[in-house]
């Protein structure tokens, strides 16, 4: 894809944020950018930017297998062994793969930077990359302590969502792009929780976006039973989602394995970039399929998220968010 000079300048600005504020490159670090032919130009711009900090930057361009790209990195677990920092800049995320898990366990830094967008703009040029990593960390920490101490989560929305999830023995984590303090992170600035895979019950009204599929044109309902999608409302968007799920040919993709809360105040849920959608402050999402990289135990072909707007969220009956806004710490009652 050809980009204008102005677009390339914005992309370079985004790449510098990634190099300096997210992966904190050092001179002797060996860096690998994993990409596909469709995103080779973006990878080359990142390499150019990364080389301002490190002399050892390689690009691995792999076959574009679409949403099944993760299979390649499950079959080649040691592919990242020679590198200190890996940036997964493919169309779809590869962070839940065995190769990524191995790299993280070996002490490497791993940034999940899936570049899929639904318009002609490069994700590197999106303004949501400018979110202050320290602010997002503080936002996550405020909520995390309540989620970690809870066993039951309830979510309702004005649109009609009424969900109950369980997380006994599970703790929340957060992504803000910054891998300095941990093994991996994602460009999706969010708090995430690996919910128990067999216990989610209720209805989610999807009125934000459908991950890689794009924006919802008309809200529709999804029903859960024993942790799995049991019914999808028969609307135009519901049919698009059904077809998408069927395309995996994997029944394990119907399992709800993640609960996420968007923490990026620069993001908007517009259906143009799924990373931006699920990051948007004022939204929550349910992640389906594989969740092992998040602290869960569920294996599946891949992972995708559905986003809904303005949730009321309760941790063991204590309201922590109202209409998508953090409302804790609560004022002390005398």
């Amino acid at each position: 894809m050809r980009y204008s000079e102005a677009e390339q300048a914005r992309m370079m600005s985004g790449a510098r944020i990634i190099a300096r504020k997210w992966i904190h490159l050092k001179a002797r670090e060996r860096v690998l950018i994993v990409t596909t032919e469709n995103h080779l130009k973006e990878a080359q711009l990142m390499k150019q930017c990364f080389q301002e900090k490190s002399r050892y930057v390689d690009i691995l361009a792999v076959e574009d297998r679409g949403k099944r790209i993760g299979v390649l990195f499950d079959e080649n677990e040691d592919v990242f062994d020679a590198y200190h920092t890996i940036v997964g800049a493919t169309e779809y995320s590869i962070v839940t793969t065995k190769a990524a898990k191995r790299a993280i366990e070996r002490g490497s830094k791993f940034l999940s930077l899936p570049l899929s967008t639904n318009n002609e703009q490069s994700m590197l040029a999106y303004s949501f990359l400018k979110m202050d990593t320290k602010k997002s960390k503080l936002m996550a920490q405020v909520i995390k302590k309540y989620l970690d101490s809870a066993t039951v989560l309830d979510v309702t929305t004005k649109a009609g969502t009424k969900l109950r999830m369980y997380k006994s023995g599970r703790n929340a984590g957060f992504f803000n792009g910054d891998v300095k303090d941990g093994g991996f992170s994602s460009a999706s600035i969010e708090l995430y929780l690996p919910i128990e895979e067999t216990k989610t019950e209720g209805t989610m009204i999807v009125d934000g976006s459908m991950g890689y599929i794009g924006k919802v044109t008309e809200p529709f309902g999804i029903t859960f039973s024993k942790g799995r999608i049991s019914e999808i409302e028969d609307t135009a968007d519901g049919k698009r989602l059904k077809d998408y799920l069927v395309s995996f040919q994997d029944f394990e993709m119907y399992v709800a394995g993640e609960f996420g809360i968007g923490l990026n105040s620069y993001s908007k849920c517009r259906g143009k970039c799924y990373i931006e959608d699920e990051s948007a402050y004022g939204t929550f999402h349910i992640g389906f399929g594989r969740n092992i990289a998040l602290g869960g135990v569920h294996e599946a072909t891949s992972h995708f998220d559905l986003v809904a707007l303005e949730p009321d969220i309760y941790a063991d009956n204590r309201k922590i968010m109202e209409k998508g806004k953090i409302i804790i710490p609560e004022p002390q009652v005398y």
Side-chain angles (χ1 to χ4, degrees), residues 3-15:
Y3 297 105
S4 68
E5 290 186 8
E7 180 81 350
Q8 290 190 52
R10 290 193 293 271
M11 291 162 65
M12 284 297 288
S13 177

Side-chain angles (χ1 to χ4, degrees), residues 214-230:
K215 190 169 180 61
V216 173
T217 57
E218 181 181 355
F220 67 99
I222 297 175
T223 304
F224 296 87
S225 178
K226 298 182 179 179
R228 292 180 177 269
I229 295 175
S230 58

Side-chain angles (χ1 to χ4, degrees), residues 5 20 23 44 48 90 122 141 151 176 183 194 196 204 210 228 230 239 244 246 258-259 279-280 283 301-303 327:
E5 290 186 8
R20 297 173 182 176
I23 58 177
Q44 290 167 341
Q48 179 183 338
T90 50
S122 166
Q141 288 174 336
T151 56
N176 63 352
E196 294 181 67
M204 176 183 186
M210 298 184 287
R228 292 180 177 269
S230 58
K239 291 176 181 177
Y244 183 74
V246 168
E258 178 208 359
F259 173 65
S279 297
T283 69
T301 304
S302 188
H303 179 96
I327 61 170

Side-chain angles (χ1 to χ4, degrees), residues 54-68:
S54 173
R55 292 178 295 169
Y56 308 103
V57 184
D58 293 331
I59 295 175
L60 173 62
V62 298
E63 179 186 357
D64 188 355
R65 300 188 181 184
K67 55 184 175 290
R68 292 184 175 274

